[in-house]
């Protein structure tokens, strides 16, 4: 049974195919409105979410399918001690596909090993968030008309920001992509991403703590929230939370075709005054995420023999 736990579970040509399906959904929405009729998607969210859960649910409804949902750990039998493995097995009896978010790294993998239906990782701790990356890739493709030949600045919490880890893995597979890693020392990209991805693949990258110095060199600026929920110590969070705040004056030196991205939710990292700048793409990412999730649901249900297209 095919599950998607990591963005690397999808080949570059499969990502191209998903982007092409998403573009077709945007162009001809009506063609897809009953494709998943009679099918059910289960959302199991052991951590808070607005975008990922609601976009998966909207995606399934727009494909003509139905949704069953566990919106919080507290409202499920995991509060009584049921394991992720048992939960996944049980929910397989009710749904044709499962979407799961969990605070523990590796939890989605455990669910996939035990479920009898495809499992999609909607974020596992600080590890990865492959469907946010699908939203990011469609956004970059639509904004730049390419996924190669660019400098991407990643700014903020590069240590705990799972969207950053997944995006680096994904974009490292395209030609001539460079990364500028902008963070305070305490929130640097984990060694395993630096060594196993960037160094291993000989990808050009540099680290800095100076956002303003980096901005003029970038084609994409990917801002991130400092992940309060992953800190052990509130004092450290309070000291680091406002390390970077993007404001219109900081964008004065940016390229005219810079794309400013953020997986959201935003706290303080981007001033709301930036929202009016045509280079702000973060609300486009939200909508693109729904289309890519529609494309992914279609792909997995088709591969599982649940729908024909
Ligand atoms: N970007 C993202 O994962 O948002 P949610 O936490 O609201 O799902």
């Amino acid at each position: 049974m095919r599950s998607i736990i990591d963005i690397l579970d999808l080949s570059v040509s499969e990502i191209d195919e998903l982007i092409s399906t998403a573009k077709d959904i945007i162009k001809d929405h009506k063609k897809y409105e009953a494709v998943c009729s009679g099918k059910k998607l289960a959302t199991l969210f052991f951590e808070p979410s607005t975008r990922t859960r609601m976009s998966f649910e909207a995606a399934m409804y727009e494909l003509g399918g139905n949704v069953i949902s566990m919106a919080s750990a507290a409202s499920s039998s995991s509060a009584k001690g049921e394991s992720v493995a048992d939960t996944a097995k049980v929910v397989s009896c009710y749904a044709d596909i499962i979407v799961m978010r969990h605070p523990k790294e590796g939890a989605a993998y455990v669910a996939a090993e035990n479920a009898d239906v495809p499992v999609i990782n909607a974020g596992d701790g600080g590890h990865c968030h492959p469907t946010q990356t699908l939203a990011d890739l469609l956004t970059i493709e639509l904004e730049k008309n390419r996924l190669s030949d660019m400098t991407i600045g990643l700014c903020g919490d590069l240590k705990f920001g799972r969207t950053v880890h997944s995006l680096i893995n994904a974009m490292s597979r395209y030609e001539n992509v460079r990364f500028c890693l902008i963070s305070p020392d305490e929130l640097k990209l984990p060694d395993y991403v630096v060594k196993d991805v960037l160094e291993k693949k000989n990808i050009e990258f540099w680290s800095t703590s100076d956002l303003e110095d980096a901005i003029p060199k970038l084609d994409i600026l990917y801002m991130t929230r400092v992940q309060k929920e992953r800190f052990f110590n509130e004092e450290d969070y309070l000291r680091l939370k406002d390390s970077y705040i993007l404001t219109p004056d900081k964008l004065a030196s940016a390229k005219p075709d810079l794309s400013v991205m953020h997986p959201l939710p935003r706290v303080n990292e981007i001033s709301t005054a930036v929202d009016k700048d045509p280079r702000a793409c973060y609300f486009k990412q939200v909508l693109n995420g729904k289309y890519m999730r529609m494309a992914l649901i279609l792909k997995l249900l088709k591969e599982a023999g649940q729908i024909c297209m």
Side-chain angles (χ1 to χ4, degrees), residues 45 48-53 101 122 129 132 162-163 263-265:
F45 277 66
S49 166
T50 296
R51 273 146 296 273
T52 312
R53 184 166 73 85
R101 171 172 290 184
H129 191 350
Q132 178 62 48
R162 57 194 173 197
T163 61
L264 305 180

Side-chain angles (χ1 to χ4, degrees), residues 42-283:
T43 50
L44 308 184
F45 277 66
F46 295 86
E47 256 195 351
S49 166
T50 296
R51 273 146 296 273
T52 312
R53 184 166 73 85
M54 295 187 79
S55 65
F56 265 114
E57 295 183 357
M60 192 55 167
Y61 283 125
E62 288 180 30
L63 292 167
N66 291 302
V67 173
I68 53 175
S69 187
M70 187 201 93
S72 73
S75 66
S76 79
S77 285
S78 70
K80 303 177 209 160
E82 188 164 50
S83 67
V84 165
D86 281 2
T87 303
K89 211 168 224 345
V90 167
V91 176
S92 302
C93 301
Y94 309 138
D96 303 291
I97 186 163
I98 294 173
V99 176
M100 191 179 95
R101 171 172 290 184
H102 199 283
K104 285 202 178 134
E105 284 87 352
Y109 175 78
V110 172
E113 286 290 291
N114 289 278
D116 302 313
V117 299
V119 173
I120 301 173
N121 181 9
D124 59 334
H127 183 220
C128 52
H129 191 350
T131 65
Q132 178 62 48
T133 305
L134 292 178
D136 299 342
L137 293 177
L138 178 60
T139 306
I140 296 172
E141 165 70 23
L142 293 176
E143 293 301 309
K144 302 283 181 220
N145 211 18
R146 65 183 193 279
L147 288 168
S148 58
D149 304 302
M150 62 184 74
T151 303
I152 303 177
L154 300 153
C155 178
D157 186 349
L158 309 189
K159 180 179 180 184
F160 297 117
R162 57 194 173 197
T163 61
V164 165
H165 308 160
S166 290
L167 187 61
I168 289 175
N169 262 312
M171 289 304 291
S172 297
R173 297 195 289 186
Y174 296 92
E175 289 294 312
N176 197 28
V177 171
R178 296 162 294 282
F179 295 99
C180 174
L181 308 174
I182 309 155
S183 73
D185 238 25
E186 293 97 321
L187 297 177
K188 278 188 154 172
L189 196 67
D191 255 8
Y192 77 89
V193 185
V194 173
K195 290 199 164 64
D196 297 350
V197 185
L198 297 175
E199 289 179 359
K200 198 168 174 179
K201 292 185 168 175
N202 228 0
I203 310 285
E204 187 183 335
F205 73 96
W206 73 100
S207 301
T208 177
S209 56
D210 190 339
L211 171 63
E212 283 169 86
D213 180 58
I215 279 180
K217 306 176 182 99
L218 307 177
D219 300 298
I220 306 265
L221 172 58
Y222 194 94
M223 297 295 294
T224 61
R225 172 179 69 92
V226 174
Q227 306 264 305
K228 181 180 185 188
E229 62 276 30
R230 315 258 178 250
F231 277 75
F232 291 113
N233 177 339
E234 168 120 27
E235 236 173 70
D236 288 345
Y237 169 71
L238 293 174
R239 185 168 47 81
L240 293 166
K241 73 183 177 71
D242 292 328
S243 298
Y244 301 102
I245 301 176
L246 186 66
T247 51
D249 57 303
K250 288 186 186 139
L251 282 173
S253 62
K255 291 184 182 175
D257 65 345
L258 172 76
S259 300
V260 179
M261 299 176 67
H262 190 309
L264 305 180
R266 113 178 105 183
V267 184
N268 269 338
E269 319 73 62
I270 303 181
S271 138
T272 54
V274 175
D275 298 359
K276 292 194 280 288
D277 191 307
R279 295 170 289 188
C281 296
Y282 27 94
F283 292 111

